Amino acid sequence: MHESKEYLYNELKLIEAWENDQKDLWFWEKIGRLPFALLDKITPKFIHEKVGIAIDELGSYIQTGGQYLVSDRDVINKFNSESEPMTLSKISQMPISILDGVAKELVKSRTNFATFQGATTGIGGLFTLAIDIPLLLGLSLKVLQEMALCYGYDPKDKAERIFIVKCLQFASSDIVGKKAILEDLAIFHQGKQNNQVVSQLQGWREVVMTYRDNFGWKKLFQMIPIAGMLFGAYLNRSSIGDVAEAGMMLYRKRRILERIANH
């Protein structure tokens, strides 16, 4: 079943409207980064070391997939029919509505897991925060790889891992950064994603540092165990929700543009 060109253009307009709605950081999110700056000097060394490890692991993910590379079979199996086994190539040809359905199912599952994870690591104060930062980064990368698979793209390809990190950057950027990243991602739609985008990823360390900064309020409230648990649950859920939404919309746009070009 192939969608009409009119349908594809209408869906593309919805995605572009979503892109236009991506505003600057919410006021409270900006304020939330301030406590981290104020408390940074008294942060235990092991937290800084954990952040450093997360930075190194993200670099490894870009190059080889590292420990964050997910198995494609779990996602592909969600598309399996009784008549024949599914492949990424077949998924890429399926109606957008079916791809969206599986993507939304995964988004719901991952945000629920992130909520539980945030509440769990919020119980232990500053010590469990050091665990939470790399866990949240890993879950974000997993969700984005699953969004890639939902729309028929293979995160084992280095080009896809670069696209995924750009999606991660998009989710945590301000309005100026989002605009620049959308321009970068247009290169993928044109099939020119090699050296130019790799060179633009020299600042990928900023992704991890942004993650660290986003924990400002959580770090402050984790001094009070119950508040740390509640705020940890909220922060992790909203963080993964934002990442999943960005991945779904940007991969969806890419698939639609490719279908329009081949229509």
Side-chain angles (χ1 to χ4, degrees):
M1 177 181 177
H2 294 284
E3 300 98 340
S4 68
K5 205 164 187 177
E6 181 182 6
Y7 168 83
L8 293 173
Y9 273 116
N10 285 337
E11 292 301 303
L12 183 59
K13 287 180 181 178
L14 293 176
I15 296 171
E16 290 172 345
W18 171 82
E19 290 176 348
N20 291 331
D21 284 341
Q22 299 301 295
K23 302 298 184 181
D24 197 1
L25 289 173
W26 188 44
F27 174 77
W28 287 110
E29 290 178 345
K30 283 185 174 181
I31 297 298
R33 294 185 179 188
L34 294 179
F36 196 98
L38 296 174
L39 295 170
D40 200 24
K41 293 182 179 180
I42 62 171
T43 299
K45 182 180 178 181
F46 70 90
I47 291 184
H48 288 294
E49 290 174 348
K50 285 291 184 180
V51 172
I53 291 172
I55 290 174
D56 293 338
E57 288 177 347
L58 183 58
S60 175
Y61 170 75
I62 293 172
Q63 296 300 323
T64 66
Q67 64 171 316
Y68 292 131
L69 194 63
V70 300
S71 169
D72 58 8
R73 186 48 51 186
D74 290 341
V75 176
I76 292 175
N77 284 342
K78 294 182 179 296
F79 291 93
N80 279 347
S81 63
E82 296 181 359
S83 58
E84 57 179 343
M86 196 58 62
T87 64
L88 281 179
S89 178
K90 291 176 181 178
I91 289 173
S92 69
Q93 302 299 318
M94 297 179 75
I96 295 294
S97 58
I98 293 179
L99 308 185
D100 291 345
V102 175
K104 289 176 182 177
E105 177 187 338
L106 284 168
V107 169
K108 182 178 180 180
S109 171
R110 299 312 175 207
T111 51
N112 288 340
F113 178 79
T115 303
F116 172 77
Q117 176 185 297
T120 302
T121 54
I123 295 174
L126 294 178
F127 292 95
T128 49
L129 181 64
I131 300 172
D132 200 22
I133 293 174
L135 281 178
L136 188 61
L137 176 63
L139 183 57
S140 297
L141 289 173
K142 180 177 182 179
V143 167
L144 289 170
Q145 289 178 82
E146 289 175 337
M147 292 301 103
L149 291 164
C150 283
Y151 289 91
Y153 298 97
D154 188 356
K156 291 187 180 73
D157 293 339
K158 184 176 180 180
E160 293 308 326
R161 294 199 296 274
I162 292 171
F163 188 92
I164 283 167
V165 173
K166 297 300 284 186
C167 290
L168 193 61
Q169 287 179 311
F170 180 89
S172 57
S173 294
D174 59 21
I175 190 170
V176 176
K178 289 181 189 296
K179 182 179 179 181
I181 291 168
L182 288 175
E183 292 174 356
D184 292 345
L185 293 183
I187 295 172
F188 281 80
H189 307 320
Q190 300 164 9
K192 303 174 182 178
Q193 65 268 34
N194 295 323
N195 294 333
Q196 185 173 349
V197 178
V198 173
S199 66
Q200 290 167 348
L201 275 174
Q202 290 176 349
W204 55 261
R205 290 170 175 259
E206 296 176 9
V207 176
V208 176
M209 302 314 290
T210 299
Y211 260 69
R212 186 200 70 167
D213 292 348
N214 279 334
F215 279 79
W217 273 115
K218 185 176 180 182
K219 183 174 177 183
L220 188 65
F221 279 95
Q222 276 188 323
M223 296 177 181
I224 310 171
I226 299 301
M229 182 176 69
L230 296 176
F231 209 85
Y234 167 77
L235 179 61
N236 281 25
R237 183 181 184 86
S238 61
S239 296
I240 292 301
D242 290 344
V243 167
E245 181 184 48
M248 179 178 174
M249 297 300 280
L250 294 172
Y251 266 110
R252 191 171 190 267
K253 178 181 181 180
R254 188 169 158 196
R255 179 57 69 198
I256 288 173
L257 285 173
E258 289 177 5
R259 291 191 181 180
I260 289 174
N262 296 325
H263 209 282

